[in-house]
Amino acid sequence: MTPNPNESSLEEFHLQVKRPVVSEKPEKIEIVYVNVFIYSAYHIFALYGLYLSFTSVKWPTIILGIILWTLSILGTTMGSHRLWSHRAYKANLPLQIFLMICTSIACQLTSYNWVRDHRMHHKYSDTNADPHNAKRGFFFSHMGWLLIKKHTEMKRLGNTIYMDDVHSNPVLMFQKKYAIPFMGSLCFIIPVLIPIYFWNESFVNAWNFNILRFILGVHSICSINSFAHLFGTRPYDENIMPVENIGVSLVTLGEGFHNYHHSFPWDYKAGELGNNWLNFSTATIDFFAKLGWAYDLKTASDAVVEARIKRTGDGTYKREDIKESDRGKKQKNIGL
Ligand SMILES: [Zn+2]
Ligand SMILES: [Zn+2]
């Protein structure tokens, strides 16, 4: 019987469909020079923006940058990641539109491409079919993967990823269709015009500081693929590369509990520490759940988590050290 991805969780669906063998053969690196040029330019603008922020950027511009950084990270973690890639909860139309606007402010790929890459990342973690395979080293998994041609294994296996739900989502397809004008305006034009128009910021300050805000958002999210796959502990599963890394949680508003996340990808908290200040994304989903805008939140039960720790953990987990209040609510328990 063909499994129906609409009835089971996405990961259960992928588990039921046999995973093709991925070749581990290394490939010649082909640099995409246009991307190298663009990312180099971003970093030069951002460094200048950092210098200007200590000398002449006005306070309202800095506050606006912090707000936009926060929205762009929330869009990526709550929207592209937990909602659209993993379907760890459901969201009504206004919340989906809000999150799509946030991912447009972030401008880190369209959410369509983000979901496709991220489903590849989970299905083929740390193999040649994973877009940011951490076995290829820190730089590759952090940002190098954006600067070279995709591995042929990624191209070969790209069509093994379920994307029908994304294709039928009008919010995501709108963003994909109008990516350049829509995302370009929300990420690079409006955030520059606001400070110039409302508080007489100079163009040079507004432009460079906004690029700093943008590139810090890119590095925050990229740190999940590099730091959170290389440096930390594996209390839930020692057989996989992803780790628990508090620093990554700080700069991504809650995505550093990555060993937990790869062990229970359908958990909307993306970490066992559900409701504390290290997981602002979860707190924000909980807030929208109270409004009724987010619903059907999935989490792993304590029993399931404990069994997994005993079965595959690396022995670093100290359950008694974790306060019950930090674990978050268990709206809906599903087992593996
Ligand atoms: Zn990962
Ligand atoms: Zn994920």
Side-chain angles (χ1 to χ4, degrees), residues 121-169:
H121 171 62
H122 275 266
K123 184 166 182 178
Y124 300 107
S125 283
D126 300 312
T127 69
N128 280 328
D130 175 351
H132 27 78
N133 175 9
K135 285 205 184 95
R136 294 179 75 176
F138 176 83
F139 182 73
F140 176 83
S141 60
H142 188 75
M143 199 164 252
W145 65 283
L146 295 165
L147 310 176
I148 64 172
K149 282 216 171 119
K150 284 182 181 14
H151 196 285
T152 44
E153 283 298 84
M154 259 206 80
K155 288 186 216 152
R156 181 175 74 86
L157 297 168
N159 63 3
T160 63
I161 294 300
Y162 179 76
M163 289 290 283
D164 290 3
D165 52 341
V166 181
H167 284 132
S168 60
N169 184 322

Side-chain angles (χ1 to χ4, degrees), residues 35-51 139 142-144 146-147 188 207-220 222:
N35 290 8
V36 174
F37 174 79
I38 292 170
Y39 276 98
S40 301
Y42 283 148
H43 282 84
I44 291 166
F45 289 133
L47 281 174
Y48 189 42
L50 183 65
Y51 165 75
F139 182 73
H142 188 75
M143 199 164 252
L146 295 165
L147 310 176
F188 297 112
W207 171 263
N208 290 291
F209 189 76
N210 183 54
I211 298 292
L212 175 65
R213 180 278 304 173
F214 160 74
I215 211 71
L216 285 178
V218 172
H219 280 293
S220 295
C222 286

Side-chain angles (χ1 to χ4, degrees), residues 7-25:
E7 285 173 8
S8 54
S9 82
L10 212 60
E11 285 70 30
E12 287 167 336
F13 170 69
H14 276 152
L15 282 175
Q16 288 165 59
V17 179
K18 198 167 175 288
R19 199 185 95 155
V21 177
V22 183
S23 161
E24 286 302 309
K25 223 172 97 197

Side-chain angles (χ1 to χ4, degrees), residues 5-6 18 21 25 27 32-33 35 59 77 79 96-98 115 127 181 198 209 224 254 278 285 292 316 320 331 333:
N6 292 318
K18 198 167 175 288
V21 177
K25 223 172 97 197
E27 236 175 28
V32 181
Y33 286 99
N35 290 8
W59 273 109
T77 59
Q96 291 212 42
I97 292 171
F98 169 71
V115 170
T127 69
F198 287 103
F209 189 76
I224 305 166
L278 279 170
I285 297 171
T316 56
E320 58 276 14
Q331 272 89 347
N333 298 327

Side-chain angles (χ1 to χ4, degrees), residues 14-307:
H14 276 152
L15 282 175
Q16 288 165 59
V17 179
K18 198 167 175 288
R19 199 185 95 155
V21 177
V22 183
S23 161
E24 286 302 309
K25 223 172 97 197
E27 236 175 28
K28 194 170 163 273
I29 288 172
E30 279 186 74
I31 297 171
V32 181
Y33 286 99
V34 180
N35 290 8
V36 174
F37 174 79
I38 292 170
Y39 276 98
S40 301
Y42 283 148
H43 282 84
I44 291 166
F45 289 133
L47 281 174
Y48 189 42
L50 183 65
Y51 165 75
L52 292 172
S53 65
F54 287 106
T55 54
S56 56
V57 175
K58 293 181 177 174
W59 273 109
T61 310
I62 292 175
I63 292 165
L64 176 71
I66 293 169
I67 293 169
L68 293 177
W69 177 87
T70 307
L71 290 176
S72 62
I73 299 296
L74 282 180
T76 309
T77 59
M78 288 173 59
S80 295
H81 189 211
R82 303 184 194 185
L83 174 64
W84 294 312
S85 292
H86 291 297
R87 306 196 307 199
Y89 66 99
K90 294 192 178 103
N92 67 3
L93 187 63
L95 180 54
Q96 291 212 42
I97 292 171
F98 169 71
L99 292 172
M100 186 273 285
I101 288 170
C102 290
T103 61
S104 302
I105 293 169
C107 209
Q108 298 176 20
L109 309 175
T110 59
S111 289
Y112 177 96
N113 287 344
W114 209 103
V115 170
R116 186 203 55 209
D117 282 359
H118 196 68
R119 287 180 180 175
M120 287 292 282
H121 171 62
H122 275 266
K123 184 166 182 178
Y124 300 107
S125 283
D126 300 312
T127 69
N128 280 328
D130 175 351
H132 27 78
N133 175 9
K135 285 205 184 95
R136 294 179 75 176
F138 176 83
F139 182 73
F140 176 83
S141 60
H142 188 75
M143 199 164 252
W145 65 283
L146 295 165
L147 310 176
I148 64 172
K149 282 216 171 119
K150 284 182 181 14
H151 196 285
T152 44
E153 283 298 84
M154 259 206 80
K155 288 186 216 152
R156 181 175 74 86
L157 297 168
N159 63 3
T160 63
I161 294 300
Y162 179 76
M163 289 290 283
D164 290 3
D165 52 341
V166 181
H167 284 132
S168 60
N169 184 322
V171 177
L172 298 187
M173 294 317 280
F174 169 87
Q175 188 192 47
K176 183 174 186 285
K177 190 170 176 191
Y178 300 104
I180 291 176
F182 189 74
M183 296 175 78
S185 303
L186 283 172
C187 183
F188 297 112
I189 297 175
I190 296 169
V192 176
L193 293 181
I194 290 173
I196 295 171
Y197 184 79
F198 287 103
W199 51 86
N200 269 329
E201 184 62 275
S202 71
F203 171 78
V204 171
N205 281 358
W207 171 263
N208 290 291
F209 189 76
N210 183 54
I211 298 292
L212 175 65
R213 180 278 304 173
F214 160 74
I215 211 71
L216 285 178
V218 172
H219 280 293
S220 295
I221 296 301
C222 286
S223 72
I224 305 166
N225 308 325
S226 54
F227 287 97
H229 271 250
L230 294 167
F231 311 112
T233 55
R234 297 180 173 89
Y236 305 96
D237 194 336
E238 63 178 351
N239 306 309
I240 56 177
M241 283 188 80
V243 292
E244 302 285 283
N245 184 310
I246 298 295
V248 173
S249 281
L250 278 173
V251 299
T252 58
L253 307 178
E255 297 283 356
F257 307 102
H258 211 50
N259 190 254
Y260 181 93
H261 173 59
H262 273 261
S263 304
F264 308 102
W266 33 261
D267 189 322
Y268 85 97
K269 295 185 273 91
E272 193 181 4
L273 303 177
N275 288 333
N276 69 10
W277 54 275
L278 279 170
N279 205 334
F280 186 61
S281 300
T282 298
T284 312
I285 297 171
D286 287 339
F287 167 76
F288 280 109
K290 281 207 177 81
L291 295 183
W293 289 26
Y295 52 99
D296 284 358
L297 279 54
K298 295 177 193 158
T299 75
S301 69
D302 280 353
V304 166
V305 174
E306 270 168 35

